[in-house]
Every structure is written in C-alpha cells, then in structure tokens.
Amino acid sequence: MLRNRVLTALVTIPALIWFILWSPTWMFQLLVLTATFIALREFAAMGLDGIPYAATMTTVGGMAIALAMAQGQSGVLISAGLVVCLVGTLLLTLALAEDMHESVSRAAIILLGALYAGMLLPHFIWLRALSQGPALTFFVVAVAMAGDVGGYFGGRAFGRIKLWPTVSPNKTVEGAAVSLTCSILAGVIVNAVLLTRPLPGWEVVVVSAVAGMLAQCGDLLESMIKRAFDADDSGWILPGHGGVLDRTDSLVLPVVFVYYYAILGAA
Amino acid sequence: MLRNRVLTALVTIPALIWFILWSPTWMFQLLVLTATFIALREFAAMGLDGIPYAATMTTVGGMAIALAMAQGQSGVLISAGLVVCLVGTLLLTLALAEDMHESVSRAAIILLGALYAGMLLPHFIWLRALSQGPALTFFVVAVAMAGDVGGYFGGRAFGRIKLWPTVSPNKTVEGAAVSLTCSILAGVIVNAVLLTRPLPGWEVVVVSAVAGMLAQCGDLLESMIKRAFDADDSGWILPGHGGVLDRTDSLVLPVVFVYYYAILGAA
C-alpha cells in the first residue's frame, strides 16, 4: 500500500507541478473539469449505488455548475447551472417517484453530491486565473499535501490519542499536530520561494494554519460521507491512493478559503 | 376555506399588483427576500422539525444565496453564498454528527431546502430588473395565478379523472386542462396589454403554455415534498392560503423559465 502510494506519487507529482505552474489555461481547466467529472461519478457510485437516474443526474447537475464556473464568473450562468441541477433533480424525482420519503431523500443526496463534488474543485480554475494564480494554486496543493504526508507519518510515529474514532478510526491527535506543522512549514516555504508578492511573516503562518486545518476538516468530511454510505475508498483511479474524492478531500476547503481570501485582500 | 381564500385575495392582490408594477426596487427586493426568508423557515419547520441547528443552517444557507443574488449577478458572490451554505452545512454536520447516516441525510435535506426555498424566488428580483421587468413579472404571476384559480374551479366543476393521486389526491386531469387554458389566456392578455414589446402571437401561446405547465409541476413538486415530510400545509401566514411555500409553489418554476427565456431572447 505504502509502496504503491510512493510509486504513484513519483509519477504524478512532477506532472501535477507542471500542470499547476506551466500548463496552458485550457489544459489546467480540462484537468480540473476531468477531476470534477470523476469525483461526481465516484460520489454517485458511493451514495446512489445502483440507481442510474440518480447517478446520471448527480453528474449532469454537478457538471452544469462546474462548466458554468469554468466559463468565468457570470452569476447568470452559475445560477442557470444551479437551476439545471435543482429543477432537473426535482422534476426527475417527481416523474419517477414511488415512495415519496425515499425519493425526496434521494433528491437531496443528488444535490449534496452535485454541490460537494461539483462546485468546490472548480475554484481551482478561478484561483489559478488570479495574477499570482499559479503560485497560489501551488501554495494550496503544497499546504494540503504536506499536511497529508505529515499526518500519515506523524500518526504512525507518534500517534496515541485517537482524534475522532467515530468518523475516522486511524486519525490521532499527534498526527493532526504534525500535519498542521507540516502545512505551516510548506506554506511558509512556498510563500517565500514562489510568490512574487509574498504575504508578511505572521500572515502566511495564519493563512497556512487555517488552510491546513481546513485540509484536515475536509479529510474528516469525506470520511464522514463515506461512512454514511458504508463505502470504503471512493474509487481506484490512482493505485494506492483511492479515488479522486479521496485525493482531493484535503484540497477542496483550502482552495475555497485561499481563493476568497486572495480576492478580498486584492479588493 | 374558500371564503377565507377569497377575502385574503381581495386584500393581497391589489397590494401585489402595486408591488410588481410600481413599488421602488428596494421595496420589491425586500418583499422577495422576506418571502424567501419565510419560505426557508417553513421548509425547515416541515422537513427538519425539532432540530434547531439544521433549521438555522437552512435559513442561513438559503439567505446567503438569496442575498448574494439580490446584490446583482456576481458569480463570485453567488458562489460565496453557495460555499457558505455547503461548507457551513458540512462542517456543522461533522461537528455535531452522532449517527453518520442520519447526519449526512439531514445535511442533504438542509441543502435541498436552502436551494429550493432560497434560490428560485430571488429570480423575481432579476426578472423585475430587466427592461420590461415589471410587465414580465406581472406576466409570470398572472399565468401562475390564473392557472391556480382555473385548476381549482375547473377541477370542482368538471374533475373526474385523477391526475396523480399518489402525489396530490385532489388534482384531476380536467382541472389541469382548465388550468392550462386559463394560464394561456392570462398570458395572451398580459402580453397584449402590458408588454411594450409584446411577443408575437404564436410565441406568447407557447411561452404561456410552458409557464402554465411549469406552474402545475411546481405545485406537484411542493405536494411531493410535503408528502415526503408528512406535512399538511407549509404554514399559516395567509388565512386560507397556507404558507408562503404553498402560495409560491406555482410561481418558482415559471419565474425561472421566463427569466432565462427573456435574457436568451435579448442576447
């Protein structure tokens, strides 16, 4: 398992760095939209197992939102995407409803999936389009991945006290502390090396710490969702790393945070 | 019941006409946002009965989206509203989760409520801000209300064949047909009388027919949601008319349809 993780990482990390820092915009967008599409399929397979209309509607609805976001920041387009997602789900549910309780609960799960898997990841497209976008994108990925790696090895080395056994049985308080430290370190380094207008010392520590904590929360969130659906890994696309949802769970909250933080700072 | 309906209508219809055609923008926005707020509270009371955090999150999340839409058509603000709604719901669910299945299902219902009650009605603000906005808003309300009234009396007079007893036991095919006829008539009249640039004859019939059918679908949708939550009327704010959700159920799909149709036609 660890061997597979490391081998996969050796192949994908250089590719990821290239995508973030140097790929043309359309290629980066394609990467994010492809990941979003796979994440939606994984969510549907996990949470709406065996119900084809619901799985399809999750994908269609989530992609409507994601594609609208990829087009830019038109409120009309994004609302139209949401309307496709919401009204499509409701009308389809009405047309196919047998048991009302179950059908409406399922409609709600479709919306959860479309939003969770469909609207957070596309923030990467928006973040990378900012003036320091590639560096900020690298910042988010570095903070989250350093936290993942730190949490994994820190937990193995020092882990004693369980963090939240009902949600994620393997997480420990010590692992979380090492994870947070690694996130902050990664944030400070990327800030100093890559950002042309770096954040001042105290600010980068706070931003990295918040992003690191959000990364860990995102990890716990996905565990919660998997547990609710009695699923194990979300998919198998990356050997040893589970699926796209598993790999991006720690990215989705930090990217949203850093994006809105960056544009508020610029305003 | 009918007496109450008629009396309430006699008071509210002139007020409604004034709000639609002549009120200042801020007052119309306030009306729509107030209705949205009450609709969110009603949804929460119906679907998340007795769970205060879930009811509050539905209201906060839905209002975040509605207020973002009221600000204009900024994709960034609308996405930020959605993020508040989605991430707030998920983190709150994580923090308070006991049983994962139930908590995640409840999170999904919160999102359904925030979107259904929070993002459809604010399209009225957008529609009324168009160049023919007040007239188009009147068009939507007239088509939907004529359909409601026609369906009610048509069903009482001629109703024999049940339309969809599992969703809404009192609806009949004959009522639906009279409803659609009244919607088309109302659309044709408003188009001729109020629109400064009226739609050509065939187009207004098609648009009114689609809006009328969507009005009836919206009515069925709300019945489905109420049935799923074992609720009767959504609220009691208007004597004889149930709550805001009950009164706006036939408006929310036509307003969305007419808005996007109008801006596509203008583009």
Side-chain angles (χ1 to χ4, degrees):
Chain A
M1 181 71 178
L2 179 60
R3 187 185 140 85
N4 271 344
R5 276 178 96 104
V6 172
L7 283 175
T8 307
L10 283 179
V11 176
T12 52
I13 286 177
L16 192 60
I17 293 176
W18 180 81
F19 267 109
I20 291 172
L21 294 181
W22 298 295
S23 74
T25 304
W26 68 267
M27 212 184 267
F28 185 78
Q29 293 191 347
L30 194 62
L31 177 75
V32 172
L33 290 174
T34 307
T36 304
F37 180 82
I38 299 170
L40 286 162
R41 300 300 301 170
E42 287 176 1
F43 185 98
M46 210 166 60
L48 298 157
D49 187 30
I51 306 154
Y53 91 86
T56 304
M57 192 62 230
T58 306
T59 313
V60 171
M63 285 309 288
I65 301 170
L67 287 167
M69 290 179 70
Q71 289 298 311
Q73 297 176 320
S74 153
V76 175
L77 269 183
I78 293 172
S79 296
L82 271 172
V83 164
V84 167
C85 181
L86 173 66
V87 176
T89 301
L90 289 173
L91 290 181
L92 207 56
T93 302
L94 179 65
L96 302 174
E98 287 167 24
D99 175 78
M100 298 295 144
H101 292 80
E102 207 182 299
S103 300
V104 170
S105 297
R106 193 182 298 140
I109 298 287
I110 293 173
L111 292 177
L112 170 64
L115 289 178
Y116 172 70
M119 85 147 294
L120 298 176
L121 272 180
H123 279 84
F124 270 114
I125 294 175
W126 288 5
L127 181 66
R128 190 170 182 269
L130 296 178
S131 68
Q132 299 198 86
L136 288 171
T137 308
F138 198 91
F139 177 91
V140 167
V141 175
V143 166
M145 285 179 75
D148 280 350
V149 172
Y152 183 81
F153 290 105
R156 278 165 65 111
F158 313 112
R160 304 186 69 173
I161 311 161
K162 293 286 181 196
L163 180 68
W164 207 323
T166 48
V167 176
S168 188
N170 297 322
K171 297 258 183 317
T172 60
V173 175
E174 295 81 0
V178 175
S179 168
L180 187 59
T181 312
C182 291
S183 287
I184 295 173
L185 275 176
V188 169
I189 294 171
V190 172
N191 182 62
V193 174
L194 274 185
L195 268 81
T196 45
R197 282 173 284 124
L199 294 173
W202 65 269
E203 197 178 348
V204 69
V205 171
V206 173
V207 171
S208 307
V210 173
M213 279 187 279
L214 285 172
Q216 296 191 50
C217 285
D219 202 338
L220 289 169
L221 275 185
E222 206 235 347
S223 295
M224 174 179 81
I225 292 172
K226 283 203 290 198
R227 204 151 288 264
F229 297 143
D230 298 316
D232 196 17
D233 273 347
S234 69
W236 37 263
I237 201 158
L238 302 170
H241 287 251
V244 168
L245 280 180
D246 292 321
R247 269 309 81 196
T248 58
D249 59 4
S250 59
L251 295 170
V252 289
L253 299 190
V255 70
V256 166
F257 163 66
V258 170
Y259 173 72
Y260 291 105
Y261 187 85
I263 60 166
L264 282 180
Chain B
M1 181 71 180
L2 179 60
R3 188 186 138 87
N4 271 343
R5 276 178 95 104
V6 172
L7 283 176
T8 307
L10 283 179
V11 177
T12 52
I13 285 177
L16 192 62
I17 292 175
W18 180 81
F19 267 109
I20 292 172
L21 294 181
W22 298 294
S23 73
T25 304
W26 68 267
M27 211 183 268
F28 186 78
Q29 292 191 348
L30 193 63
L31 177 75
V32 173
L33 289 174
T34 307
T36 304
F37 180 81
I38 299 171
L40 286 162
R41 301 299 303 169
E42 287 176 1
F43 185 97
M46 210 166 59
L48 298 157
D49 187 30
I51 305 154
Y53 91 86
T56 305
M57 191 62 230
T58 306
T59 313
V60 171
M63 285 310 286
I65 300 171
L67 287 167
M69 289 178 70
Q71 289 299 312
Q73 298 176 320
S74 153
V76 174
L77 269 183
I78 293 171
S79 297
L82 270 173
V83 164
V84 167
C85 181
L86 172 67
V87 176
T89 301
L90 288 174
L91 290 181
L92 207 55
T93 302
L94 179 65
L96 302 174
E98 288 169 24
D99 175 76
M100 298 297 144
H101 292 79
E102 208 182 298
S103 300
V104 170
S105 297
R106 193 182 298 140
I109 297 288
I110 294 174
L111 293 177
L112 170 64
L115 290 178
Y116 173 69
M119 84 148 295
L120 297 176
L121 272 180
H123 279 84
F124 270 114
I125 294 175
W126 288 5
L127 180 66
R128 191 170 181 268
L130 297 179
S131 68
Q132 301 198 87
L136 288 171
T137 308
F138 197 92
F139 177 90
V140 167
V141 175
V143 166
M145 286 179 73
D148 280 351
V149 173
Y152 183 81
F153 291 105
R156 278 166 66 110
F158 314 113
R160 304 186 68 171
I161 310 161
K162 295 284 180 197
L163 180 67
W164 207 322
T166 48
V167 176
S168 189
N170 296 323
K171 296 256 184 318
T172 58
V173 174
E174 295 81 0
V178 175
S179 168
L180 186 60
T181 311
C182 292
S183 288
I184 294 173
L185 275 175
V188 169
I189 293 170
V190 173
N191 181 62
V193 174
L194 275 184
L195 268 82
T196 45
R197 282 173 284 123
L199 294 173
W202 64 270
E203 198 178 348
V204 70
V205 171
V206 173
V207 170
S208 307
V210 173
M213 279 187 279
L214 286 171
Q216 296 192 51
C217 286
D219 202 338
L220 289 169
L221 275 185
E222 205 234 347
S223 295
M224 173 180 81
I225 292 173
K226 283 204 290 196
R227 205 149 288 263
F229 297 143
D230 298 316
D232 195 16
D233 271 349
S234 69
W236 38 262
I237 200 158
L238 301 170
H241 287 251
V244 169
L245 280 180
D246 291 321
R247 269 310 80 194
T248 57
D249 59 4
S250 59
L251 294 170
V252 289
L253 300 190
V255 69
V256 166
F257 163 66
V258 170
Y259 173 72
Y260 292 104
Y261 188 84
I263 59 166
L264 282 180

